[in-house]
Amino acid sequence: MSLKIAFAASRAPLAQTARAALVTRYGDVSFDEADVIVALGGDGFMLQTLHGSQHFSAPVYGMNRGTIGFLMNEYSESDLEARLEAAEEALLNPLSMTVKDTRGQAHKALAINEVSLLRAGPQAAKLRITIDGRLRMEELVCDGALVATPAGSTAYNYSAHGPVLPIGSDVLALTAVAAFRPRRWRGALLPKTAHVQFDVLEVEKRPVMAEADSRSIRDVVSVEIQSEPTVVHRILFDPGHGLEERLISEQFN
C-alpha cells in the first residue's frame, strides 16, 4: 500500500517547482490524512512546518530547496517512498516561552531551536538570570542571551560561540551574545527540566525584544523559558544522516 504524502513548500520558486513535480508523481493529501509530511524549502520553512503540523500524527521529512538545510535531507524526485520507509526518526521537544511586556500583557510561543533575548536599542541590554527560582546572575550586560535545545544548538547558539549539544543529552544551552560584563562569561549548560527566567533591567533605557523561532515580542520586561514535554515533534532523516550524526560532524568542519 502506497504512503499517503502531504507536500508543503516555501514560497521560493525552486521549492514551488519541486512541489509541483512531486505532487504529479506521488499525489497529495491534507496534513490530517497524511502518513508523512514532506517539507520543501530551507531550515526556516522546516521549523514553520513542524510548528504548523504539531497537532497531526504524521512525521515531517524535509528536502532542501533552500540555503542551509541543516534540518533537511538532500532533494531528489526519485525513490521518495523508499526513502521515507527507510528514514530514521528523531523526537524533539520544543521550548515554551512566556513573555511579559511593558504593557503588562503576556505572550506565549514555542521554539524548536531557541528562545533569544536581544537588545532593541543602541545600548547594551542588562539582564538578571534566575534558574529554578534561584538567582544565578544579578546582572549580565550584553547584546543578548539565548536558551537553545540540542536541535537548535548549531544555529544561532553556535554562532554566538555556544556549545553543540548531542541529541538525547537532556541538556539546554544558556549562551550570552557579546557579553560585556561579566566579560569572560561564556554561558552555562542546564538540565532539560530547568526553568529559566530573564528579567530586563532598566527597561525604558535599554529595551529588549524576545524571539521564539523568529516570532518576535518587543518591549520585554521578563521572559520565562522551559522545555515543553507535552509537545513532541517527529522529524525524519535518511539513514546515516540523522541529527545526531550532523551534530557530531558540525564540530569537525
Side-chain angles (χ1 to χ4, degrees):
M1 184 177 179
S2 297
L3 286 173
K4 292 182 288 185
I5 305 172
F7 290 98
S10 72
R11 295 180 180 178
L14 191 65
Q16 289 292 323
T17 299
R19 184 183 185 280
L22 290 165
V23 167
T24 298
R25 187 164 182 172
Y26 298 101
D28 187 36
V29 299
S30 61
F31 280 14
D32 60 346
E33 298 176 296
D35 296 315
V36 62
I37 297 166
V38 172
L40 303 163
D43 285 341
F45 184 72
M46 183 61 164
L47 293 176
Q48 180 182 327
T49 304
L50 288 169
H51 283 298
S53 64
Q54 71 182 48
H55 300 297
F56 301 100
S57 61
V60 180
Y61 177 90
M63 286 201 288
N64 191 17
R65 295 283 82 183
T67 305
I68 303 300
F70 183 80
L71 296 174
M72 315 300 275
N73 300 283
E74 290 186 5
Y75 177 77
S76 175
E77 291 180 22
S78 62
D79 301 323
L80 178 58
E81 289 186 322
R83 292 175 71 186
L84 294 175
E85 292 283 6
E88 300 171 348
E89 184 176 78
L91 303 179
L92 309 177
N93 296 120
L95 297 172
S96 171
M97 175 183 81
T98 303
V99 177
K100 181 180 178 182
D101 67 20
T102 55
R103 296 171 295 280
Q105 297 179 330
H107 308 266
K108 294 181 180 291
L110 296 176
I112 296 167
N113 271 0
E114 77 277 320
V115 172
S116 57
L117 285 78
L118 301 169
R119 74 177 193 182
Q123 298 196 61
K126 286 188 177 181
L127 305 174
R128 178 186 295 128
I129 304 174
T130 303
I131 310 295
D132 292 330
R134 182 173 178 179
L135 179 62
R136 290 295 184 178
M137 186 168 289
E138 182 66 43
E139 184 178 279
L140 171 64
V141 183
C142 57
D143 280 351
L146 60 90
V147 177
T149 66
S153 65
T154 61
Y156 189 15
N157 172 71
Y158 196 38
S159 298
H161 306 292
V164 175
L165 305 177
I167 290 294
S169 59
D170 289 335
V171 171
L172 303 174
L174 195 168
T175 301
V177 179
F180 181 71
R181 290 283 188 274
R183 187 177 294 275
R184 299 187 184 279
W185 190 66
R186 298 295 299 273
L189 294 178
L190 305 174
K192 185 178 179 180
T193 56
H195 178 280
V196 182
Q197 179 167 328
F198 293 100
D199 293 298
V200 179
L201 308 178
E202 302 179 25
V203 173
E204 298 298 330
K205 182 180 179 182
R206 303 172 185 270
V208 168
M209 60 186 294
E211 290 193 350
D213 284 353
S214 298
R215 179 186 172 187
S216 299
I217 310 294
R218 302 188 70 85
D219 302 321
V220 170
V221 172
S222 65
V223 180
E224 296 182 46
I225 306 163
Q226 59 188 357
S227 182
E228 182 49 77
T230 63
V231 179
V232 180
H233 295 287
R234 301 169 61 201
I235 184 169
L236 300 177
F237 293 97
D238 292 331
H241 298 277
L243 268 183
E244 185 171 358
E245 170 59 27
R246 293 177 188 216
L247 290 168
I248 293 173
S249 296
E250 189 71 23
Q251 298 173 80
F252 292 89
N253 293 327

